[in-house]
Amino acid sequence: MEDAFLNTMKYTALTDVGKKRSLNEDAYIADGKLFAVADGMGGHRAGEVASSLALEALAFALSKRAKDTLEEQLEEAVQRANKTVHDKAVRDLDRRGMGTTLTVAVPKSGKLYIGHVGDSRLYRMRDGKLIQLTRDHSLVAQMVESGHLKPEEAEIHPQRSVITRAVGGDNDIKVDIIVEEMLAGDKFLLCTDGLNTMLSDEDITEVLRDKKDLEEACRELVAWANDKGGNDNITVIMFENSKNSPGNKNRLWRS
Ligand code: MG
């Protein structure tokens, strides 16, 4: 089905091994219709296997259009990805315990459909303000939510990379499904934690305000994360709807 809205999508993606790791275990898809990042974990290159396997299974399941709504289809596709990784993790001794984060965004008819497991992030920049649309499934996020940790303490907590949900970790997983409106001028940023553990939300905001060009912004984010230490693999996808989408032409209210 043709969606004129997609013809106005601009996007770019960049992945980098960082300064401390020898392998890049992140994987991504960015093709204008589907945007996804996966941050794999597990020894013996298992993280690499988990992240790419999850994205393959996700893209295949989404291409089959088996469900009525895109929300249902996304849920099903992430569950498929989970089963695929989990089955391999159970069968293959070398891959035992592998898993991956998975955050996926599908733009359609002026809306953004999001599926999310783990601590990769989707941000939206609107009117110069950056908002994290996904909630981290991590130990520190849980501690912040329950009032046991301050957000600024979470940023430097030694266990900040421990996640509470992972694709492949169990037979069945809980997937966050979120639907957001895409307005003209909105910029979206998908990233793995190699970016947001090096850069604060304020840092990211600064780059997105300064660099209007998506590719330039992406390069600057990755370079800055590396300058600050590059402790982990860094993957960044940016996309925007460069034109007014149908349905939001009259949404410019001014008081
Ligand atoms: Mg990572």
Side-chain angles (χ1 to χ4, degrees), residues 21 25-26 38-41 101 119-120 161 192-195 197 231-235:
R21 306 278 174 98
E25 301 192 305
D26 287 355
D39 178 349
M41 59 212 79
T101 71
D119 69 349
S120 295
S161 59
T192 55
D193 67 338
L195 184 78
T197 50
N231 288 345
D232 195 2
N233 307 144
I234 310 155
T235 301

Side-chain angles (χ1 to χ4, degrees), residues 11-113:
Y11 62 94
T12 189
L14 198 58
T15 190
D16 192 89
V17 68
K19 297 280 187 204
K20 306 277 166 70
R21 306 278 174 98
S22 54
L23 282 176
N24 191 343
E25 301 192 305
D26 287 355
Y28 73 91
I29 299 175
D31 67 4
K33 293 177 182 160
L34 169 62
F35 302 100
V37 292
D39 178 349
M41 59 212 79
H44 302 102
R45 306 181 83 104
E48 217 182 350
V49 174
S51 60
S52 52
L53 208 56
L55 290 189
E56 250 173 63
L58 174 92
F60 182 69
L62 280 175
S63 70
K64 289 201 302 187
R65 297 180 185 277
K67 297 280 178 184
D68 288 344
T69 69
L70 194 44
E71 285 101 318
E72 287 172 325
Q73 189 149 1
L74 255 188
E75 163 86 36
E76 165 82 7
V78 178
Q79 295 290 355
R80 276 310 328 159
N82 178 62
K83 255 204 114 4
T84 306
V85 177
H86 184 66
D87 285 355
K88 182 143 183 86
V90 169
R91 278 199 314 266
D92 189 340
L93 272 182
D94 280 348
R95 317 284 187 219
R96 188 144 292 178
M98 73 174 172
T100 181
T101 71
L102 181 56
T103 302
V104 49
V106 179
K108 193 168 170 34
S109 308
K111 291 208 163 87
L112 191 64
Y113 295 82

